[in-house]
Amino acid sequence: MTRFAWVQTRPQTLFAAAALAAFALVAAITGVHLSHLFHSLVAHCHIGCALANQQFLSHDHFMDRTLSIVARVVPALLGMFWGAPLLTRELETGTFRLVWTQTVSRTRWTITKLVMGALGTVLIAGLLTLTITWWYRALDPLASNQYGVFDRRDVVPIGYALFGFAAGALIGAIVRRTVPAMATTLGVFIFARVAVQSWVRPHLLTPVTHSESLGSADQFGIASLNGGAPTVVAQGSGPPSSWTLSTHLLTAAGQPASLAQRSAFVRDYCPSLANRPVGSIPGPGLHHAVAVPTPANGASQACMDKAAHAFRLAVSYLPGDRYWTLQWLEAAVFVGLALLSGIGCFWWVTRRTN
Amino acid sequence: MTAALEASRLGKRYGGKWALSDCSLSIPTGRVVGLVGPNGAGKSTLLHLAVGLLAPSAGTISVLGARPGSGPEALARVGFLAQDSPTYDRLTVAAHLQMGRWLNPAWDDEFASSRISELELDVRQRAGTLSGGQRAQLALTLAVAKRPELLLLDEPVASLDPLARREFLSTLMEIVASRQVSVVLSSHLIADLERVCDYLVLLVSGRVAVSGDVDSLLASHRRLSGPRRDPSTMPGNLMVIEASHAVRQSTIVVRTDGPIIDPAWTVTPLTLDDLVLAYMRQARDGAGAPVSRLAMAP
């Protein structure tokens, strides 16, 4: 059965291998060039290193963009073009009636197809993410934050690809028509990626929380949010190479400061600002916020100083050294989803398909 | 001796609709069985149940004494040719034979190779480019070369032109003559089966209307024509299958084991075609009720 499954999947596998080889070749050539640049620009710099870094990082934007797209898209493509047609093609063309009536049980047939496809997917996604991670080996340490490229490096793309494949196989077995199955697989894949990124990833690890004075915040001011009364606003970030999950204001007593408390502060201590008409200078990162024009006078400065005493800023973040733990955890989440899809597919094919 | 196929109150439901219901029959081994019925009668469903592609919704079915599709042993003993002879369009003829070799421990390579050369098929040709007749022959070769004890063919000639049809059926007859294999083949056209079958199962609306050895069925059915007469007044040893009446004359198809002695009747034998049509009309007019004289009362 293994040999026949290989015969069936051979054209796609060879195509994928050829594409991967071409990709690896281009990455190797440009990657070696990048290495030379790194040595001549950055590695031996003593003065003006920031400028040298900038120069180095601005190099080869084209490959950078391409690799970002490839890293994001290939797991979805594997799901659509490898996972979805795996069983659907047989169900659609009726050849399942031929192959399921040979001397091979449906159980063995399904397991063989799923396991071989999964191995191929892991191999291709693994080589791909290895190539990409290698290409960025000199760039990434210089770039500001490893968490910024979390979903395009190291092991998580393998998890995504495996999930795409298994979800495609399950959807294909249920839908039984190739093109709708491919479209559905893409939709489910994107949904799962976005859902995990926004709702699961921030909760996988317990963040570190520290509080700091408002003086050291990235942004701090008085602004009107969504047209409401002016309030104290501030935003901070964790240490370098960490992932900032949330920031919020604390009262002097260490409790989270409510919106009411923050507006009350402006009303009580900065009456001159509270009654001013608001301008429209939204600061970066303050969505829907409108900065209150701050008159350059002593009253305003005093008000800000008072705020810095009355409030502190709490920052929750994942330190840089949790990066690999988070990588393995998110990969495990997707491998788990892939296993569930695979089991679902197996159950559907052996128990429900007629 | 175990039956080739034995069904008891077998039923299969798709959604809310029964494709096959309350189907009981027993087919002996060593026969070439014609499974006949109009489109939608449940022929494919019965064959798919027999090869384990479907699971019954009600009742039981056993094939060569085993539950169909219960494992490789059961699969090895049954050869199946699905409707429209599905093959892998993009694989070559040689790859199909390779598949048969890999997936069937009892594969008869000699038979398969000699069949392919007799058919003058190019083994390098992709199955998608074969004609319908060639594809059917390839699929038949695959089904036979696994050395099954029972061969199930689902509408094997329905999509073939008359020449390919004739060639396919003569191939099938050669195989039956040279190998120890029981055959069940389905068709909605009795003409396809008349020359090859020695046993008949007629399915109408998901039920068995009649089944039995073709010769004894033909020997026990007669068409009587004579003066107009109420069929319910017929003697008890004559089972009325179908009656039609003109102004002064009645034509009645009956099933009987004895001779017909009433001199008022002109007795003619039935062809297989007539017999099947009579039962199909009976099933239709009797709304699927079992054979009964009450149902035939005018």
Side-chain angles (χ1 to χ4, degrees):
Chain A
M1 182 59 219
T2 317
R3 285 174 295 184
F4 180 59
W6 163 244
V7 166
Q8 284 188 290
T9 189
R10 192 166 46 196
Q12 288 162 306
T13 312
L14 293 181
F15 175 79
L20 188 69
F23 173 79
L25 187 71
V26 173
I29 293 168
T30 53
V32 167
H33 177 62
L34 215 57
S35 262
H36 286 307
L37 265 179
F38 178 77
H39 282 290
S40 59
L41 279 174
V42 181
H44 305 297
C45 98
H46 297 293
I47 44 165
C49 285
L51 188 67
N53 285 357
Q54 276 302 307
Q55 223 180 329
F56 176 63
L57 288 177
S58 66
H59 200 80
D60 218 347
H61 267 316
F62 175 74
M63 267 311 271
D64 183 25
R65 295 245 170 80
T66 311
L67 292 187
S68 290
I69 293 170
V70 166
R72 284 205 174 108
V73 163
V74 165
L77 291 184
L78 284 171
M80 285 169 71
F81 289 93
W82 206 320
L86 184 79
L87 311 174
T88 322
R89 198 75 81 190
E90 305 256 11
L91 296 169
E92 195 174 39
T93 57
T95 47
F96 72 100
R97 298 201 175 102
L98 175 65
V99 75
W100 290 357
T101 50
Q102 307 299 311
T103 315
V104 170
S105 68
R106 210 188 291 189
T107 311
R108 193 170 139 220
W109 182 85
T110 315
I111 289 177
T112 309
K113 294 274 267 188
L114 286 175
V115 168
M116 283 185 64
L119 287 178
T121 305
V122 167
L123 196 68
I124 287 176
L127 289 172
L128 187 85
T129 184
L130 189 71
T131 310
I132 292 175
T133 308
W134 173 82
W135 196 86
Y136 279 102
R137 75 202 180 288
L139 286 166
D140 277 350
L142 292 178
S144 57
N145 198 332
Q146 57 191 334
Y147 285 106
V149 291
F150 181 83
D151 61 354
R152 280 162 280 163
R153 302 283 190 281
D154 304 313
V155 293
V156 288
I158 303 177
Y160 301 156
L162 195 61
F163 166 71
F165 168 79
L170 171 65
I171 290 164
I174 297 171
V175 175
R176 299 182 75 142
R177 285 191 300 135
T178 305
V179 175
M182 286 166 71
T184 313
T185 302
L186 180 63
V188 168
F189 180 82
I190 292 174
F191 174 78
R193 283 274 279 106
V194 171
V196 168
Q197 187 163 334
S198 20
W199 300 321
V200 179
R201 194 188 296 164
H203 306 289
L204 284 177
L205 288 172
T206 316
V208 176
T209 304
H210 80 149
S211 68
E212 59 188 27
S213 112
L214 282 187
S216 54
D218 297 351
Q219 287 180 324
F220 161 46
I222 291 167
S224 162
L225 290 161
N226 296 329
T231 97
V232 182
V233 291
Q235 228 177 21
S237 55
S241 80
S242 71
W243 177 26
T244 306
L245 293 167
S246 66
T247 62
H248 56 269
L249 285 168
L250 299 178
T251 61
Q255 298 299 315
S258 68
L259 185 65
Q261 282 173 310
R262 281 147 53 202
S263 335
F265 173 85
V266 177
R267 209 169 50 242
D268 295 347
Y269 296 100
C270 317
S272 61
L273 294 176
N275 300 324
R276 276 180 172 278
V278 293
S280 59
I281 318 154
L286 295 182
H287 300 292
H288 314 296
V290 178
V292 176
T294 316
N297 62 26
S300 147
Q301 190 54 49
C303 165
M304 302 286 270
D305 289 345
K306 260 189 222 129
H309 284 293
F311 298 105
R312 284 179 72 73
L313 187 64
V315 181
S316 303
Y317 63 92
L318 282 185
D321 62 7
R322 308 306 305 274
Y323 175 83
W324 273 100
T325 317
L326 192 65
Q327 274 272 336
W328 287 112
L329 273 177
E330 178 151 332
V333 166
F334 275 91
V335 170
L337 289 173
L339 275 177
L340 285 180
S341 307
I343 291 167
C345 177
F346 174 78
W347 178 80
W348 189 275
V349 171
T350 52
R351 298 273 170 274
R352 296 293 310 273
T353 303
N354 291 324
Chain B
M1 198 168 81
T2 40
L5 193 159
E6 186 136 36
S8 163
R9 304 191 62 94
L10 182 66
K12 177 67 194 175
R13 190 180 51 214
Y14 295 105
K17 193 175 178 301
W18 288 88
L20 195 71
S21 63
D22 207 11
C23 172
S24 298
L25 84 161
S26 176
I27 296 174
T29 51
R31 309 303 291 261
V32 180
V33 181
L35 179 62
V36 194
N39 290 323
K43 304 187 295 293
S44 284
T45 303
L46 178 59
L47 290 179
H48 286 175
L49 286 163
V51 76
L53 284 173
L54 291 178
S57 314
T60 56
I61 179 168
S62 80
V63 171
L64 302 165
R67 193 168 62 83
S70 52
E73 297 78 22
L75 283 166
R77 300 173 72 192
V78 181
F80 180 64
L81 177 54
Q83 191 161 6
D84 298 329
S85 325
T87 51
Y88 294 99
D89 282 355
R90 283 181 297 181
L91 295 185
T92 60
V93 171
H96 280 86
L97 299 183
Q98 187 70 268
M99 174 194 81
R101 200 173 298 132
W102 284 339
L103 302 189
N104 300 286
W107 180 255
D108 186 344
D109 212 31
E110 202 179 319
F111 167 83
S113 320
S114 69
R115 280 296 322 151
I116 296 300
S117 55
E118 272 169 47
L119 295 166
E120 298 180 340
L121 287 182
D122 178 1
V123 291
R124 289 163 302 176
Q125 202 177 344
R126 285 170 186 241
T129 62
L130 296 175
S131 72
Q134 289 173 320
R135 223 179 50 239
Q137 292 276 12
L138 171 62
L140 178 65
T141 304
L142 291 173
V144 174
K146 74 186 269 200
R147 292 187 219 251
E149 294 164 50
L150 172 65
L151 193 55
L152 303 174
L153 313 171
D154 189 4
E155 299 266 6
V157 293
S159 58
L160 304 185
D161 61 63
L163 184 64
R165 196 173 280 224
R166 185 167 287 263
E167 281 172 354
F168 183 94
L169 291 174
S170 65
T171 306
L172 182 64
M173 290 324 292
E174 279 170 40
I175 288 166
V176 170
S178 61
R179 304 173 81 91
Q180 301 297 316
V181 62
S182 312
V183 180
V184 177
L185 74 160
S186 73
S187 178
H188 61 279
L189 292 177
I190 187 67
D192 291 333
L193 307 180
E194 220 159 14
R195 290 178 299 122
V196 293
C197 297
D198 54 21
Y199 198 94
L200 178 83
V201 176
L202 174 64
L203 272 186
V204 183
S205 313
R207 289 161 198 269
V208 177
V210 64
S211 77
D213 179 84
V214 169
D215 289 338
S216 29
L217 282 177
L218 289 177
S220 60
H221 287 76
R222 290 284 178 270
R223 175 183 283 123
L224 312 179
S225 36
R228 190 177 165 120
R229 180 165 173 182
D230 181 352
S232 61
T233 64
M234 300 287 283
N237 64 337
L238 299 182
M239 189 156 71
V240 177
I241 309 301
E242 188 199 10
S244 59
H245 306 282
V247 181
R248 294 196 352 226
Q249 207 185 20
S250 288
T251 307
I252 300 178
V253 174
V254 296
R255 179 174 195 163
T256 175
D257 295 327
I260 306 221
I261 28 185
D262 190 338
W265 295 112
T266 312
V267 182
T268 46
L270 288 171
T271 63
L272 199 55
D273 212 11
D274 295 334
L275 189 142
V276 165
L277 280 172
Y279 275 100
M280 273 161 67
R281 276 193 219 107
Q282 183 208 35
R284 185 193 63 198
D285 299 340
V291 175
S292 94
R293 290 173 56 189
L294 286 174
M296 296 314 298

